[in-house]
Amino acid sequence: MARFESDEEARALGEALARLRRDQGLSQAEAGARAGMTSQAWGLYEAGKRPGLFRPDIQRRLTEAIGATVEALVLQTGVASPAPPLVGTGVSSSGRAFSGVQPAARTAGRHQFQVSNDDLWPWAASGVVLEYEPGRWPRRDQGCIVEMRDGRRLARLYHGADETTLYLRGGPDGFGSEERVRREEMLSISAVIARLDA
């Protein structure tokens, strides 16, 4: 089930990807191999069951693997709105209003953070550069950069929040562990919008 968009939107985008692949005469296995994934992973995108299909960098990766463009993908959906820009800001959400910790103030451009440990393995290994946008609150299971009051910056996966605590994945105890960070210990949280693998 797609987490960040409606099931109908996810299916429509997946079906558009499937039509583009078939137009190129490729099987799911061939398309997946070109994109560096299994045929099953490719099939999940086509079925609308991978929320990453709404990310501009994933759309670019998949369409390039089959010799198409992001614009062609959007045109296949029948949606009148323009395609997300190739260097766009991704899907946004107004999120919930909180008192206390707020996202970092919006600034022009994006910022980068290089992962220096394996706290987020297999999502991001040491050496991977994470591009993040200050002022954008992360969605569930999206990467985030947390700026702490003590000057540290943490790269984690956002899992959820309540009035006093943020629930994050990753950290010194491993990728599968949950880390709790009190809002009073934080300055800001910003969504990761791209992983720049070496």
Side-chain angles (χ1 to χ4, degrees), residues 10 15 26 53 55 77 89 92 123 144-145 147 184-185 193:
E15 289 169 3
L26 298 171
L53 187 53
R55 290 179 28 199
T77 65
T89 57
S92 64
W123 187 77
C144 63
I145 302 297
E147 294 188 40
E184 64 195 31
E185 299 172 339
I193 55 175

Side-chain angles (χ1 to χ4, degrees), residues 47-72:
K49 295 184 179 181
R50 303 267 320 248
L53 187 53
F54 289 95
R55 290 179 28 199
D57 59 319
I58 296 293
Q59 290 177 0
R60 185 176 61 245
R61 177 181 173 201
L62 297 175
T63 55
E64 285 177 355
I66 58 175
T69 64
V70 174
E71 291 80 11

Side-chain angles (χ1 to χ4, degrees), residues 94 96 98 100-106 133-138 183 186-191:
S94 59
R96 297 180 185 171
F98 298 127
V101 175
Q102 297 295 320
R106 282 198 183 266
E133 183 176 338
R136 182 181 298 277
W137 194 274
R183 289 178 182 266
M186 301 171 40
L187 288 174
S188 66
I189 183 169
S190 303

Side-chain angles (χ1 to χ4, degrees), residues 148-172:
M148 304 296 288
R149 292 194 186 277
D150 65 8
R152 293 179 297 145
R153 283 191 304 167
L154 309 174
R156 300 290 189 263
L157 288 184
Y158 177 78
H159 192 68
D162 60 29
E163 294 175 4
T164 61
T165 308
L166 264 71
Y167 302 95
L168 308 170
R169 288 187 19 216

Side-chain angles (χ1 to χ4, degrees), residues 57-141:
D57 59 319
I58 296 293
Q59 290 177 0
R60 185 176 61 245
R61 177 181 173 201
L62 297 175
T63 55
E64 285 177 355
I66 58 175
T69 64
V70 174
E71 291 80 11
L73 178 65
V74 172
L75 288 173
Q76 283 287 326
T77 65
V79 176
S81 63
L86 292 180
V87 293
T89 57
V91 178
S92 64
S93 171
S94 59
R96 297 180 185 171
F98 298 127
S99 60
V101 175
Q102 297 295 320
R106 282 198 183 266
T107 60
R110 299 174 179 176
H111 297 266
Q112 293 184 343
F113 177 85
Q114 184 168 18
V115 177
S116 61
N117 55 45
D118 286 328
D119 289 352
L120 289 174
W121 175 258
W123 187 77
S126 179
V128 169
V129 175
L130 302 176
E131 193 168 71
Y132 65 98
E133 183 176 338
R136 182 181 298 277
W137 194 274
R139 300 177 308 263
R140 184 180 174 99
D141 294 328

